[in-house]
Structure formats: C-alpha cells, structure tokens
C-alpha cells in the first residue's frame, strides 16, 4: 500500500516540474491541480484494456496531468486496479511521489469483480449478501446502494484495488439518479446525511481526504424535476455534519459544448437568486470536475462541434470546458498513446482568459 495523499507542496512541485504551461494548473483547497484530468470509464474488462489504461495513465501523468479519476464499478473493478498499477510503477520508477497526484474514485453502484469467475448476482450474493454487507431492500432498481455498511466495504475494496492507503476524493456515485425512483426525497436526504457522516469518519481514519457527489442530472435539472438537488442545501448538510472544515468540497457533472446546462441553465439558487450550477459551486467554494467532454467521441464527428479557433476538435472541446469559470478540469477518457498525445496538446497552450471565453460564448449562443 502506498502511503500519503496529495499535498500543497507535492502538487506545487509537480506543476513546476511538469514542463507544461503553468497557467494550466489551478489552485483549489491549497492544492495545485492540472486543468485537464484523465478519466477511466470505458473499455472491456480484459487484460489488454488493463495494459492500455495503465499506460495511458502513466503517459498522462508524465505529460503534466495530476488529476486521475476512476470508480469501483468501472470495468468491474479493473479500472481502479489499472490506475493503481500505473501509480505504483511511477512511484517505483521515482518519476512521481504520492503527494504530487490527486486520485478520485466513486462508490454507490453495485458491482461485481471481473477477475472473479462468478456471474453478477452470484458475486453479489457471495460477496455482499452472505457476508451481511447488503440485506434485502438495500439495492435499488438502479443497481445502487448507499447504506453505510456497503459504502464502507466498497471504500476498503477501492483502496485495495488502487494500492493506496488514502484516496484524495471519494464521490458518492449518481446517488439521486440511482435512488429516487425507489425512495422518497425525505428518506433520500436522511440517507445522504448518514453517508456524509460516514465520509467524515473515514476522513478521521485517514482513508479519504475529501468527498463529493459525482452526478448526472441532479444539479443540472429544474427544481420541479424529481431528480433535482440543491447544491446550497447539500453544502449546508455537510456543514451540519462536519462543521466549516467538512470534507464536502467537490462535485462532478457532465458538461461539454452540447450539454451546456451547467453553464447556461439557471438550475440552482443562492440565497433565493437563480444561478447556474457552475456559479453556485464557485460561490459555495465547491470545485467542479466535468465528465463526457467529447460525449464519448460523438462530438468529434465532422460538423458536430462549432468551429472556433484553429485547434483540433478534441483540443477545442477541452479548451472550451476548462476555460469555463467554475470548472477545475474536464476528465478525458483516453487509452491509446496517440489519443493521449493528441488530447494533451491542450497542455501546451494556456486556457482562454475570462474575456476571451465570454466573447466565445456570446458568439456561440448568438
């Protein structure tokens, strides 16, 4: 197990030694984080993909990216193991130290283990039900479970998969989306509070540094939608549980040139004033990582993305997202060495200034 976690000194040193444009790092929670991160969602649960992911994570880190995102259910636990292997190898080769990189994972979905030769439900029965980790009624129709017993079990598995003693950020994964069809809003909020209590306890134990919510709909939809969640209320809940120094400091949501609600939709309120979720997060001191920057490649089809600048399509998409006020970094899934090289050309140029970005948005929305 690799000890430690991302630190102010370590991440700053990483940025200084990275050889990339220093404007491509943002300070948040005293950490210096690259404004592009690597995601590890897609791919088959096989050994070949393991190798590709491990190589891509290593190549990304060596290209100046110190934000790595995964989840226990990605590739049925194999994504976490591939990330763990990449970090271990880089640490062994003295290319990085643990305190220089920021690693996030997610728990909440029920997952099997692709390295164990059991069907999905057989695995669930053997690993979770028979051991008392889940009981009847704990798992929703969306294959989701947010009991503290289950999440505690999953955290320990994630740490083992990643070969890390501590993860920098633990997200509760699509909680509203995975739960609300089966539980009342009142019950959901009660359950969410107990999850926050669990995460605060795990911070005290040194297993996680921060926690957050990785979401799909809840912060982007209107408040009359059953999946709606108020970010302001969620932050207040974390304060109630963990005080001003609570660990709820990050959210993740989809955002790209097509899914623009995070920037343009006034779906949240701050002190009863309608604002976008990006503005809400900024004002509440919450860092935002974004998913699906290329919509799994669909934005790269000819003619889909608006033309601006002379950048390649993937670089253009990343440049737009990371320049948006309130975004810490888009998380880009990349496996082949060519894709990593192409996408990370964005690290050679600075993001747009606020004025350039506002000018661009005006042009795109007029």
């Amino acid at each position: 197990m690799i000890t430690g976690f991302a630190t102010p000194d370590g991440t700053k040193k990483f940025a200084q030694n990275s050889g990339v444009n220093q404007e491509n790092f943002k300070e948040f929670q005293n950490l210096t984080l690259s404004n592009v991160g690597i995601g590890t969602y897609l791919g088959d649960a096989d050994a070949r993909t393991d190798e590709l992911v491990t190589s891509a994570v290593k190549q990304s880190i060596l290209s100046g990216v110190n934000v790595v995102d995964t989840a226990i259910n990605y590739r049925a636990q194999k994504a976490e193991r591939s990330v763990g292997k990449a970090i271990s190898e880089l640490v062994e080769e003295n290319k990085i130290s643990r305190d220089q990189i920021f690693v996030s994972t997610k728990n909440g979905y029920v997952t099997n283990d692709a390295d164990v030769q059991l069907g999905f439900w057989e695995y669930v029965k053997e690993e979770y039900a028979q051991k008392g980790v889940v009981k009847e009624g704990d798992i929703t129709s969306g294959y989701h479970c947010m009991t503290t017993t289950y999440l505690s079990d999953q955290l320990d598995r994630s740490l083992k998969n990643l070969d890390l003693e501590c993860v920098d950020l633990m997200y509760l994964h699509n909680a509203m989306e995975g739960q609300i069809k089966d539980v009342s809003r009142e019950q959901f909020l009660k359950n969410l509070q107990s999850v926050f209590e669990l995460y605060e306890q795990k911070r005290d134990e040194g297993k996680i540094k921060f926690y957050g919510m990785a979401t799909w709909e809840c912060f982007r939809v209107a408040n009359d939608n059953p999946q709606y969640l108020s970010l302001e209320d969620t932050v207040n809940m974390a304060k109630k549980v963990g005080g001003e120094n609570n660990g709820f400091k990050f959210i993740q949501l989809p955002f790209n040139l097509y899914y623009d609600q995070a920037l343009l939709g006034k779906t949240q309120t701050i002190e009863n004033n309608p604002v976008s979720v990006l503005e809400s997060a900024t004002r509440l001191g919450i860092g935002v990582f974004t998913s699906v920057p290329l919509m799994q490649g669909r934005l790269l089809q000819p003619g889909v993305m608006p033309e601006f600048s002379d950048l390649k399509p993937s670089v253009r998409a990343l440049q737009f997202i990371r320049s948006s006020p309130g975004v810490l970094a888009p998380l880009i899934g990349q496996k082949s060495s060519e894709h990593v090289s192409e996408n990370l050309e964005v690290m050679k140029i600075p993001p747009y200034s606020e004025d350039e970005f506002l000018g661009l948005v005006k042009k795109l929305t007029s």
Side-chain angles (χ1 to χ4, degrees), residues 18-167:
S18 65
V20 302
N21 189 308
Q22 291 298 290
E23 286 183 60
N24 290 328
F25 289 90
K26 289 182 179 172
E27 292 267 328
F28 187 76
Q29 289 294 316
N30 296 321
L31 299 172
T32 307
L33 304 174
S34 56
N35 64 8
V36 174
I38 179 169
T40 55
Y41 171 44
L42 293 177
D44 296 324
D46 58 22
R48 171 85 186 109
T49 311
D50 288 347
E51 284 170 24
L52 286 172
V53 172
T54 296
S55 299
V57 170
K58 288 175 78 171
Q59 188 185 345
S60 300
I61 291 172
L62 296 173
S63 305
V65 167
N66 70 343
V67 171
V68 184
D69 181 81
T70 189
I72 195 165
N73 64 311
Y74 291 175
R75 300 177 47 243
Q77 303 197 43
K78 285 171 87 65
E80 284 186 333
R81 289 177 194 142
S82 302
V83 167
K85 189 164 185 277
I87 293 166
S88 295
E89 287 177 6
L90 288 173
V91 168
E92 277 162 24
E93 293 159 10
N94 286 323
K95 302 265 175 68
I96 58 162
S97 51
R98 171 65 185 97
D99 61 355
Q100 295 181 328
I101 55 165
F102 185 88
V103 183
S104 59
T105 191
K106 315 177 190 77
N107 289 164
Y109 279 115
V110 177
T111 184
N112 59 333
D113 182 340
D115 289 339
V116 175
Q117 298 304 306
L118 284 176
F120 183 87
W121 287 113
E122 282 176 282
Y123 181 88
V124 170
K125 194 172 149 190
E126 209 164 286
E127 277 296 308
Y128 306 141
Q130 287 171 3
K131 294 178 182 176
V133 176
V134 297
K135 55 187 196 306
E136 204 173 328
D138 285 354
I139 299 174
T140 67
S141 57
Y143 293 82
H144 200 276
C145 180
M146 58 186 273
T147 65
T148 53
T149 315
Y150 180 70
L151 294 176
S152 192
D153 167 273
Q154 295 289 284
L155 167 59
D156 289 340
R157 285 174 201 261
S158 287
L159 293 172
K160 191 174 175 227
N161 288 339
L162 289 160
D163 200 22
L164 298 178
E165 206 173 70
C166 174
V167 73

Side-chain angles (χ1 to χ4, degrees), residues 155-204:
L155 167 59
D156 289 340
R157 285 174 201 261
S158 287
L159 293 172
K160 191 174 175 227
N161 288 339
L162 289 160
D163 200 22
L164 298 178
E165 206 173 70
C166 174
V167 73
D168 298 296
L169 169 56
M170 173 56 80
Y171 291 109
L172 180 61
H173 200 178
N174 287 355
M176 192 59 151
E177 296 83 346
Q179 292 275 330
I180 204 64
K181 285 193 182 94
D182 303 272
V183 301
S184 68
R185 173 172 287 271
E186 191 185 14
Q187 188 58 51
F188 174 79
L189 292 172
K190 211 179 273 181
N191 296 346
L192 186 61
Q193 185 168 323
S194 28
V195 173
F196 284 7
E197 285 162 4
L198 172 77
Y199 286 161
E200 288 294 342
Q201 182 196 323
K202 296 301 176 186
R203 290 179 76 212
D204 292 342

